[in-house]
Amino acid sequence: MAAANYSLKVNRDLLDPNFESYRLSLDPIPTYTVELDAAVEELQLKDAHYTLEHLRAFGMFNHLQLDPWYQDSVLFVDSRGRVLSLSVTLDTALGKPKEVFSFGSESGQAEDRLCASISLTSATWAALSDGAGQLLLLRTGRRGDGGHCRWEVLFSDHMGEPFTILHSVSHVQGGCHSVEVLLLRVQKEPLESTGSGYSVSLEWVTVGGATGPGQERKYEVRKRRVLSGKSVPHYAAVAPRGEGLMLAAEKPFVFTHIDGRPVEPPPRSAPVSDPLYFWQQTAADLTVCIRLPGGVAKEDVSFRLTADSLGVGVRGCPPLLEGQLYAAVDPEASAWTIRDSNSLEVSLQKLGEGPMWPELVLGNRRGELVLSDQQAALIHDRLTHLTSEDPNGEREKPPCSSQELEDCDGFPDDGFSLTHFDGETLSPTQVVNLGGHQFLFSVDVDPSQMPCLCLRHDVDALVWQPRPDRPGDLWEHVATFNALGYVQASKRDRKFSTCAPDFSFAALCECLRRVFLYRQPSPVETVLFNRKQGRQVGQVAKQQVSSLDSDKAVLGFRASNERLFVLTSSHLFVLKVDNK
């Protein structure tokens, strides 16, 4: 995995150190229900889907898609292979979801098929997967005009093994319209003898179309790039113009194939050669031992020493050591001698006692500093306070017990990272170590930008907006949900999390029935005092709980600025969130 070379920059102005807690509000959340004509297509994991990655990729799949271009419009696929759309304008007069496309009955016959998936590519385009390996790109028309016109297929191709769509974008460059689609697969690794026997594959597909003289625009696959890893990514998205890719995953991903051809591994770094010389020092002098070719006599050695430079060589060979010394020495008090015909020992007297030298010859890295036992012990004593469990000598206090930690104190492994890959070189350019930050959810805030990702920082939940056009500020901190990182850890049955695109609230839902709403702090209408501190409280953050009238598992969960949408196999629930 590439080494971390970037860190997330928290905007302190968006943090509230005085936040106390969420106050439970008994105000009901108006809930409206739409009964579905056919059940939602739900994937039942088979015996072969036994790994944690299968559960993350398909068992926790969000079947509901919110249209970021047209707020309060959602889409899903039912068991009949129909893509259904529901647009809400008046909560008290909800209509039936309308069919905009149908896969037909053939796609549901494959034994290894997955659930169908939808990705809205632009305001007039969408990408669909039938769950059996077929990728479709469709022209949808303007979906928000209320007409619900039928979608037109402009590209259809079988892409191999079944997959789900993680993300897609549409862009136009040089008169060529292109669609970038990101596909997810969990594939069997027959040659793997350790681990689960499965690997995770991400395929980045570019489909393009151009118009020729007197010809209709035809779309075809332009490029296919495959990444391989060992964990399902928490976040994966393509940059708006296809210039890069961002991944947040617990295990590293590397590009393995481009257009079916294996990617050559990066050249290995040259093996580290043995040191050419060793050196020791005290406050007053230095001793240098330089390796010589075998059979060298004294008259073959070329030695030059001035107050600030040193040169050592052998007749007929390039100089062994040459350059400016770190500090001045006394040439008259220095000497050299040959030992055992294969090493040259140089004794240098420092011109004045002073600090220890960090290097012998400036810029020369071919030597190795050897510490004496006394020097090593001194350094160890100076660094003890950084590693000791008892830095202050308070041995009577017991160390922290792991049994005292709460669930919210558990963090991902150090391998958890956020990586930006360049679209041309396919190499990682920026890597953030997320080992101390739990991933919570992703959300589409601005359809012209990449989806935001929400990470836990301490007890808070911070929302980050990727900015691929700003290499120096690639991830911008745009919002904070106070204490949400701590609160969500107590919800053991939590299945989905999300927030409003305007960040006015965050919401969690459990596997069955219950929905939790956490609002941003708002001014109180009455005078309210903190009884413990005796100060007036100006703002209160409210928590609301809604229990749905259903015993079916929650299959989809999305939020707009004014509503929450909850999908079960038989009903679509619309919760009206009053932000006034």
Side-chain angles (χ1 to χ4, degrees):
M1 182 181 68
N5 60 5
Y6 194 91
S7 59
L8 300 177
K9 303 171 185 177
V10 176
N11 184 352
R12 299 293 174 183
D13 295 335
L14 297 179
L15 303 181
D16 183 7
N18 299 319
F19 181 80
E20 295 181 350
S21 64
Y22 289 98
R23 307 295 183 184
L24 180 62
S25 173
L26 300 180
D27 296 336
I29 302 178
T31 303
Y32 307 92
T33 308
V34 177
E35 186 175 0
L36 306 180
D37 297 333
V40 175
E41 183 186 38
E42 180 182 3
L43 175 67
Q44 300 295 335
L45 296 180
K46 302 177 178 62
D47 292 340
H49 302 158
Y50 58 83
T51 69
L52 177 61
E53 306 314 318
H54 284 97
L55 178 62
R56 286 178 173 175
F58 313 125
M60 300 294 289
F61 181 74
N62 196 333
H63 292 70
L64 195 61
Q65 184 72 33
L66 181 76
D67 194 333
W69 283 270
Y70 307 103
Q71 288 279 324
D72 298 303
S73 178
V74 292
L75 301 100
F76 60 94
V77 181
D78 68 5
S79 57
R80 299 176 183 174
R82 300 180 300 172
V83 178
L84 301 176
S85 173
L86 176 68
S87 297
V88 179
T89 53
L90 185 62
D91 299 273
T92 56
L94 295 176
K96 289 287 187 179
K98 296 184 179 181
E99 178 183 335
V100 293
F101 183 77
S102 177
F103 289 109
S105 58
E106 297 180 359
S107 61
Q109 298 176 359
E111 294 183 0
D112 59 346
R113 73 181 302 271
L114 306 173
C115 49
S117 53
I118 309 171
S119 177
L120 299 176
T121 303
S122 70
T124 57
W125 280 77
L128 298 182
S129 164
D130 66 350
Q134 197 77 9
L135 174 65
L136 301 95
L137 299 182
L138 306 99
R139 185 160 51 198
T140 66
R142 300 191 64 84
R143 299 182 295 270
D145 58 8
H148 293 96
C149 60
R150 296 282 298 182
W151 294 2
E152 177 187 1
V153 178
L154 293 183
F155 171 85
S156 178
D157 194 6
H158 189 78
M159 306 300 292
E161 294 186 28
F163 58 86
T164 57
I165 301 177
L166 292 183
H167 185 242
S168 64
V169 295
S170 173
H171 59 93
V172 178
Q173 291 182 347
C176 179
H177 177 228
S178 299
V179 178
E180 314 284 347
V181 190
L182 202 56
L183 316 178
L184 170 68
R185 298 182 178 95
V186 179
Q187 297 175 312
K188 185 71 175 178
E189 289 286 352
L191 300 180
E192 184 176 333
S193 58
T194 60
S196 66
Y198 285 87
S199 66
V200 178
S201 170
L202 292 177
E203 184 172 7
W204 178 6
V205 181
T206 300
V207 179
T211 303
Q215 297 179 351
E216 184 181 356
R217 177 172 296 182
K218 181 181 180 181
Y219 288 85
E220 58 185 6
V221 175
R222 295 286 180 85
K223 199 168 188 179
R224 301 178 68 169
R225 293 138 288 189
V226 178
L227 300 93
S228 182
K230 285 296 183 180
S231 66
V232 172
H234 295 282
Y235 175 93
V238 183
R241 293 184 300 276
E243 68 271 28
L245 173 71
M246 291 189 188
L247 288 178
E250 296 178 8
K251 300 292 177 62
F253 275 79
V254 294
F255 281 90
T256 59
H257 292 80
I258 300 178
D259 294 331
R261 301 186 303 273
V263 175
E264 295 183 2
R268 295 183 178 181
S269 57
V272 179
S273 59
D274 294 333
L276 177 63
Y277 62 92
F278 298 89
W279 63 292
Q280 287 182 308
Q281 64 175 320
T282 65
D285 55 37
L286 305 100
T287 301
V288 186
C289 184
I290 305 173
R291 292 164 49 179
L292 297 175
V296 174
K298 184 176 181 180
E299 53 271 15
D300 296 328
V301 175
S302 170
F303 183 86
R304 180 181 56 83
L305 177 65
T306 65
D308 57 2
S309 66
L310 172 66
V312 178
V314 176
R315 185 183 303 170
C317 298
L320 298 176
L321 179 61
E322 187 176 33
Q324 182 179 352
L325 295 170
Y326 177 79
V329 297
D330 184 0
E332 299 296 331
S334 302
W336 64 274
T337 184
I338 293 180
R339 294 187 179 275
D340 302 328
S341 73
N342 60 0
S343 65
L344 183 145
E345 184 177 298
V346 183
S347 299
L348 301 176
Q349 187 73 30
K350 294 182 180 179
L351 195 59
E353 294 188 9
M356 306 297 272
W357 291 14
E359 56 183 342
L360 178 66
V361 175
L362 295 179
N364 190 298
R365 298 292 184 269
R366 301 185 63 186
E368 180 178 322
L369 173 64
V370 180
L371 298 176
S372 66
D373 293 341
Q374 182 180 2
Q375 291 171 336
L378 179 61
I379 293 175
H380 179 270
D381 291 341
R382 291 178 177 177
L383 299 180
T384 298
H385 71 284
L386 299 177
T387 58
S388 173
E389 295 182 357
D390 184 34
N392 299 320
E394 300 177 355
R395 298 185 181 275
E396 67 277 3
K397 294 184 179 181
C400 176
S401 172
S402 60
Q403 297 179 354
E404 298 175 358
L405 299 178
E406 301 182 45
D407 290 343
C408 60
D409 295 315
F411 291 107
D413 297 334
D414 289 338
F416 184 32
S417 61
L418 175 61
T419 307
H420 173 264
F421 292 91
D422 181 79
E424 292 293 332
T425 64
L426 304 183
S427 59
T429 58
Q430 281 98 345
V431 181
V432 180
N433 184 0
L434 297 181
H437 305 294
Q438 181 185 5
F439 181 88
L440 301 181
F441 59 84
S442 61
V443 61
D444 285 300
V445 173
D446 182 352
S448 65
Q449 299 288 338
M450 300 178 70
C452 292
L453 62 157
C454 184
L455 303 173
R456 179 184 171 184
H457 285 242
D458 197 8
V459 298
D460 296 332
L462 274 56
V463 182
W464 300 88
Q465 175 65 68
R467 306 288 190 189
D469 55 337
R470 305 179 191 172
D473 189 18
L474 202 58
W475 292 281
E476 180 185 0
H477 176 200
V478 293
T480 300
F481 292 103
N482 300 300
L484 186 66
Y486 183 87
V487 168
Q488 58 86 30
S490 65
K491 304 298 184 286
R492 295 181 178 272
D493 295 328
R494 175 177 61 94
K495 187 173 185 180
F496 298 116
S497 305
T498 188
C499 74
D502 62 359
F503 311 122
S504 57
F505 65 87
L508 317 174
C509 80
E510 295 182 340
C511 298
L512 290 172
R513 193 173 288 119
R514 290 201 298 177
V515 175
F516 299 88
L517 183 69
Y518 300 92
R519 299 179 183 270
Q520 294 282 19
S522 60
V524 295
E525 298 178 356
T526 59
V527 179
L528 186 64
F529 283 87
N530 185 309
R531 287 184 292 181
K532 292 183 179 180
Q533 301 179 0
R535 62 178 179 83
Q536 184 173 349
V537 178
Q539 290 185 324
V540 170
K542 294 182 179 180
Q543 171 192 353
Q544 291 176 273
V545 183
S546 178
S547 183
L548 305 177
D549 185 17
S550 173
D551 58 355
K552 305 289 187 181
V554 175
L555 301 179
F557 187 62
R558 299 290 182 182
S560 67
N561 291 334
E562 298 182 357
R563 295 173 179 87
L564 280 171
F565 298 89
V566 186
L567 182 68
T568 67
S569 60
S570 58
H571 292 83
L572 176 61
F573 296 89
V574 181
L575 284 66
K576 176 64 174 177
V577 181
D578 186 5
N579 288 323
K580 295 181 180 180

